[in-house]
Amino acid sequence: MSEPLERTLVLIKPDGLQRGIALELLSQFERRGLRLVGLKLVWPSQTLAEQHYAEHRDKAFYPGLVSFITSQPVVAAVFEGPRAIEVVRTTMGVTRPHEAAPGTLRADYGITVDFNLAHGSANAGDAKREVALWFRPDELLSYSRAIDSWLWR
Ligand SMILES: Nc1ncnc2c1ncn2[C@@H]1O[C@H](COP(=O)(O)OP(=O)(O)O)[C@@H](O)[C@H]1O
Ligand SMILES: [Mg+2]
């Protein structure tokens, strides 16, 4: 009963890094069994931020969002695993921390939408686009772990 492995982009936004919990947050994804295949610190350029959040171009919060994400470094990671896209999204919780379920990262560590700590690709198309936007192919490693056979088949 094997499921296709997916790759998805995770960002720990400036609030996570500034609060000193970036690696603690990332570890939640690792703990669920997802395999880390890419990791780096990035101080996003204006262009990168605009491309990343292009879908929100016309929203009122867009200028503030772009200025926030470019204000300080972020941690960029790519996680891989069965249904990785959905696993990351459910681990993070919904966009607005006050609506997120307890146990999710945004609920347990956050309170307002301006500081919701993490980004995770929303769907397969976004994941493909965002992984390629943030990482060069040679920055992504393909490998297996002994423990993988106890996590998925
Ligand atoms: N109403 C809002 N006010 C301020 N910032 C917002 C608002 N809605 C969304 N954002 C910011 O924009 C990001 C992207 O929004 P969206 O794609 O809807 O959420 P998600 O990050 O859960 O996919 C959010 O994570 C949040 O940082
Ligand atoms: Mg989104």
Side-chain angles (χ1 to χ4, degrees):
M1 202 177 64
S2 69
E3 298 181 37
L5 293 191
E6 294 174 346
R7 286 183 170 188
T8 188
L9 179 79
V10 170
L11 301 178
I12 304 299
K13 301 190 204 179
D15 46 331
L17 205 58
Q18 293 299 314
R19 285 170 57 185
I21 53 172
L23 300 186
E24 188 178 327
L25 297 177
L26 270 189
S27 76
Q28 315 274 324
F29 303 110
E30 195 181 33
R31 197 173 60 187
R32 287 205 68 178
L34 294 173
R35 186 162 62 200
L36 188 60
V37 298
L39 181 67
K40 60 183 172 182
L41 271 174
V42 182
W43 197 319
S45 67
Q46 182 77 15
T47 309
L48 176 58
E50 286 176 0
Q51 286 180 289
H52 177 74
Y53 281 125
E55 66 169 299
H56 297 302
R57 209 177 312 128
D58 301 323
K59 310 246 171 71
F61 62 79
Y62 175 78
L65 180 60
V66 168
S67 112
F68 174 60
I69 204 87
T70 56
S71 68
Q72 288 289 333
V74 304
V75 179
V78 177
F79 280 100
E80 180 174 69
R83 299 186 198 277
I85 297 165
E86 189 183 342
V87 169
V88 163
R89 294 284 289 190
T90 56
T91 303
M92 285 197 313
V94 298
T95 308
R96 304 197 297 170
H98 74 277
E99 293 175 346
T104 63
L105 193 153
R106 282 166 165 173
D108 289 357
Y109 292 86
I111 189 156
T112 69
V113 72
D114 301 295
F115 297 109
N116 66 1
L117 298 155
H119 168 86
S121 306
N123 54 57
D126 283 359
K128 198 171 160 63
R129 183 181 69 81
E130 293 173 3
V131 167
L133 185 62
W134 289 80
F135 287 85
R136 298 191 314 267
D138 65 292
E139 292 178 315
L140 300 172
L141 306 186
S142 295
Y143 64 101
S144 57
R145 304 172 300 187
I147 203 175
D148 290 341
S149 61
W150 293 100
L151 288 165
W152 61 63
R153 35 175 126 241

